Amino acid sequence: MSDSPVPYREALAAQEARNAAIRAGEAAELIWLLEHPPVYTAGTSADPAEVLDPRFDVVETGRGGRHTYHGPGQRVGYVLLDLSRRGKDVRRFVHGLERWVIETLAGFGVESWAVPDRVGIWTTDIDGREAKIGAIGVRVRRWVTMHGFSVNLSPDLSHFTGIVPCGIDEFGVTSLERLGIDLAPGQWDEALRETSGAFLAALEDDT
């Protein structure tokens, strides 16, 4: 866990180094919770035309997905696990991340869900429309994962208007703050820790 914002390029370099070290058997797995200064990130399917206003740095990431925004008030979880020890199932890993975030949000009274063929975590916004409250994007190198998820606690939602978030322009973006929930980053991190055991166990569940 990092209490101060970590520049995105710095965090990406740290992830790449840790990923290689895990693959080499030289480091333990890691779940890293942090925030970034404002930045737009581009996944492997990103379309440059979806950057509408490059007011922040745009960083190529190597993860799956398209463009997303990271910034203060948004909690990011980087999940570096060795799937060769955890069932070797990337689809199960991604679905596990989704369930982990959904179950953690439920603990704060927020009903959310994943939608097939529409990346992210979704909920009902204050106007009654469906909106994205969390993003998912991963990369796997020789069965060791990188990247992970982000959840909007209280970011400046206007910052998302500089891009088409995840390439989906027909839905909005929301946050816990917009839904009337005031949640400190430490409270969110603790809730994730409490639900992490079920997430990790489900990766090896063959039922």
Side-chain angles (χ1 to χ4, degrees):
M1 182 178 70
S2 295
D3 294 326
S4 300
V6 179
Y8 187 84
R9 293 179 188 277
E10 179 182 317
L12 182 59
Q15 281 192 83
E16 290 173 342
R18 186 62 168 254
N19 179 282
I22 293 171
R23 284 187 277 122
E26 298 171 352
E29 296 174 312
L30 174 69
I31 296 175
W32 185 13
L33 304 176
L34 70 158
E35 293 184 0
H36 293 301
V39 65
Y40 295 133
T41 68
T44 54
S45 302
D47 181 348
E50 292 170 351
V51 180
L52 308 177
D53 176 9
R55 69 191 82 166
F56 305 123
D57 194 15
V58 180
V59 181
E60 301 285 338
T61 67
R63 59 158 171 77
R66 298 168 86 162
H67 288 97
T68 193
Y69 164 77
H70 296 308
Q74 182 194 74
R75 207 64 177 158
V76 178
Y78 290 134
V79 183
L80 291 95
L81 300 179
D82 185 355
L83 296 187
S84 68
R85 298 167 43 200
R86 298 182 179 276
K88 285 190 173 182
D89 190 327
V90 176
R91 183 183 297 270
R92 181 184 295 164
F93 171 68
V94 173
H95 289 170
L97 286 178
E98 292 172 341
R99 286 194 299 271
W100 187 17
V101 173
I102 289 167
E103 291 171 6
T104 306
L105 285 169
F108 296 102
V110 177
E111 181 183 5
S112 61
W113 52 86
V115 178
D117 302 320
R118 199 203 308 157
V119 178
I121 305 298
W122 303 83
T123 191
T124 302
D125 205 356
I126 57 174
D127 59 5
R129 301 181 62 188
E130 196 173 15
K132 175 176 281 192
I133 195 167
I136 303 283
V138 304
R139 183 176 185 180
V140 181
R141 287 180 174 170
R142 299 181 188 174
W143 295 113
V144 177
T145 65
M146 290 177 60
H147 302 284
F149 62 88
S150 61
V151 174
N152 299 330
L153 304 185
S154 59
D156 183 339
L157 294 178
S158 71
H159 290 177
F160 286 89
T161 63
I163 57 170
V164 179
C166 299
I168 304 171
D169 59 5
E170 62 265 44
F171 297 95
V173 178
T174 192
S175 67
L176 289 175
E177 180 182 59
R178 180 171 162 87
L179 297 177
I181 299 171
D182 182 13
L183 191 67
Q187 292 175 280
W188 172 253
D189 292 353
E190 182 57 33
L192 280 173
R193 280 192 287 268
E194 291 175 357
T195 52
S196 64
F199 159 65
L200 294 171
L203 297 181
E204 303 174 44
D205 185 358
D206 293 323
T207 59

